[in-house]
């Protein structure tokens, strides 16, 4: 797991720009399993191994935040058994994988509507967040039962209520204020928006993932299916990011 550590300094030197916040749509687990004549959930299990490797790789590169799309508000429409299996993943993840992440100073956070998660899933998440809350390294931010439009809708409701409560006037609403009502407000201020969004498996859509925060993100699409994605693949994405010229609307 740590074979890359000794090379870490050299790698960072070669890559002039390390994205502070990388967000990943971990797609292709089902197809990966199908190719192996296995049930879809087999792919989700392999996806956890990929996530662990990529998280350690991101941490070694000096990435500050890694947000991963683990379950969207739309994923509830999947077969009941598959949903139940995905909901159990955090329990396994936090038992089997979190200890190593904790040793690597990784902090775990979650965005998404937590109230609708089954109690054991929520408990596992809370345990992991509590265990790692003082860690100062990479933030591994799970988007679980997350939907971007729902996030913005919720923000608008809260802002409307605050206007009704005379906390501020409609004219005081700025982009910065709105961003404070989004779920990503819990991330360090400078790293709330992803610099780089990766989607695996050949699909080229955002699928309701961080639509507000993605306004100036660079996109990286790869045909690699998520379980085959690893820290080397992450490095290739960061190398590509280094070749991009981000202008943020300027010249
Ligand atoms: C998309 O692939 C993947 C998911 C909906 C689940 C992702 C979850 C993991 C990688 C595990 C994450 C770990 C935790 C702790 C939650 P797909 O099923 O849509 O694949 P397909 O497009 O090939 O069908």
């Amino acid at each position: 797991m740590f074979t890359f550590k000794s090379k870490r300094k050299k790698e960072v030197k070669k890559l002039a720009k390390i994205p502070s916040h990388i967000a990943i749509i971990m797609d292709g687990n089902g197809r990966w399993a199908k190719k192996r004549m296995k049930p879809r959930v087999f792919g989700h299990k392999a996806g956890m191994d990929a996530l662990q490797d990529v998280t350690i790789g991101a941490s070694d590169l000096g990435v500050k935040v890694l947000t991963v799309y683990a379950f969207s508000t739309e994923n509830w429409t999947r077969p009941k058994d598959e949903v139940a299996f995905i909901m159990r993943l955090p329990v396994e993840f936090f038992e089997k994988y979190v200890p190593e992440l904790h040793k690597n100073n990784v902090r775990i956070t979650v965005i998404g509507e937590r109230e609708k998660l089954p109690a054991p899933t929520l408990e596992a998440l809370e345990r992991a967040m509590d265990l790692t809350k003082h860690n100062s390294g990479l933030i591994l931010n799970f988007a679980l039962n997350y939907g971007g439009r729902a996030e913005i809708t919720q923000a608008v409701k809260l802002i409307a209520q605050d206007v009704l409560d005379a906390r501020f006037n409609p004219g005081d609403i700025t982009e910065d204020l709105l961003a404070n009502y989004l779920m990503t407000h819990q991330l360090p201020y400078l790293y709330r928006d992803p610099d780089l969004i990766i989607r695996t498996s050949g699909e080229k859509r955002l699928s309701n993932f961080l639509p507000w925060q993605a306004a100036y993100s660079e996109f990286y699409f790869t045909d690699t299916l998520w379980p085959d994605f690893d820290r080397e693949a992450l490095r290739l994405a960061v190398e590509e990011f280094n070749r991009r010229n981000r202008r943020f609307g300027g010249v």
Side-chain angles (χ1 to χ4, degrees):
M1 270 296 178
F2 298 99
T3 46
F4 267 68
K5 257 208 158 142
S6 53
K7 291 188 203 157
R8 181 177 169 180
K9 277 210 176 81
K10 206 169 108 207
E11 281 184 6
V12 173
K13 220 191 261 170
K14 268 202 291 185
L15 294 167
K17 291 181 284 183
I18 299 296
S20 300
H21 183 169
I22 298 180
I24 307 185
I25 302 173
M26 307 181 288
D27 202 3
N29 292 348
R31 277 163 282 168
W32 186 90
K34 201 173 165 204
K35 269 170 70 178
R36 287 161 181 77
M37 323 279 255
K38 299 273 191 193
R40 292 175 54 78
V41 295
F42 186 74
H44 297 318
K45 238 181 167 20
M48 286 206 296
D49 288 329
L51 178 59
Q52 184 78 347
D53 196 56
V54 167
T55 304
I56 304 287
S59 163
D60 283 356
L61 281 174
V63 173
K64 308 285 186 199
V65 179
L66 180 67
T67 299
V68 291
Y69 208 6
F71 194 84
S72 77
T73 44
E74 290 73 34
N75 287 151
W76 294 106
T77 58
R78 292 187 175 215
K80 245 172 102 187
D81 286 357
E82 186 178 345
V83 170
F85 187 90
I86 296 177
M87 283 300 147
R88 274 197 302 274
L89 287 179
V91 181
E92 191 182 338
F93 188 81
F94 298 127
E95 265 164 26
K96 189 170 154 197
Y97 300 81
V98 168
E100 190 195 5
L101 297 181
H102 186 40
K103 265 190 235 147
N104 277 268
N105 199 21
V106 171
R107 191 177 137 212
I108 288 160
T109 58
V110 180
I111 54 171
E113 286 176 58
R114 286 188 215 172
E115 311 74 48
K116 292 187 191 139
L117 297 174
T121 313
L122 198 55
E123 273 160 32
L125 292 170
E126 279 168 356
R127 246 184 307 131
M129 287 192 284
D130 195 54
L131 175 74
T132 61
K133 67 183 173 200
H134 297 303
N135 290 349
S136 56
L138 174 87
I139 297 173
L140 174 59
N141 184 35
F142 281 93
L144 230 126
N145 195 23
Y146 171 86
R149 288 185 173 181
E151 178 188 37
I152 294 169
T153 306
Q154 178 64 11
V156 171
K157 277 188 199 161
L158 294 170
I159 290 171
Q161 190 58 53
D162 280 350
V163 168
L164 278 178
D165 295 346
R167 292 212 167 87
F168 48 78
N169 298 311
D172 298 326
I173 300 169
T174 59
E175 290 181 10
D176 214 37
L177 183 139
L178 199 149
N180 280 331
Y181 285 80
L182 298 175
M183 290 162 178
T184 41
H185 82 272
Q186 66 184 12
L187 296 172
Y189 183 78
L190 289 175
Y191 312 135
R192 287 173 176 178
D193 299 338
D195 303 287
L196 175 63
I197 297 182
I198 297 171
R199 184 168 190 153
T200 57
S201 88
E203 308 292 350
K204 298 183 177 72
R205 295 184 291 278
L206 201 49
S207 300
N208 208 10
F209 186 45
L210 304 171
W212 170 280
Q213 297 86 341
Y216 287 102
S217 305
E218 293 293 328
F219 288 83
Y220 179 85
F221 299 110
T222 170
D223 287 339
T224 304
L225 302 175
W226 174 251
D228 290 329
F229 200 85
D230 59 9
R231 64 181 82 184
E232 248 318 296
L234 178 77
R235 194 190 150 77
L236 290 179
V238 173
E239 280 176 11
E240 167 65 23
F241 176 82
N242 271 256
R243 291 190 286 272
R244 305 274 176 93
N245 179 16
R246 301 180 84 198
R247 291 190 293 276
F248 298 98
V251 286

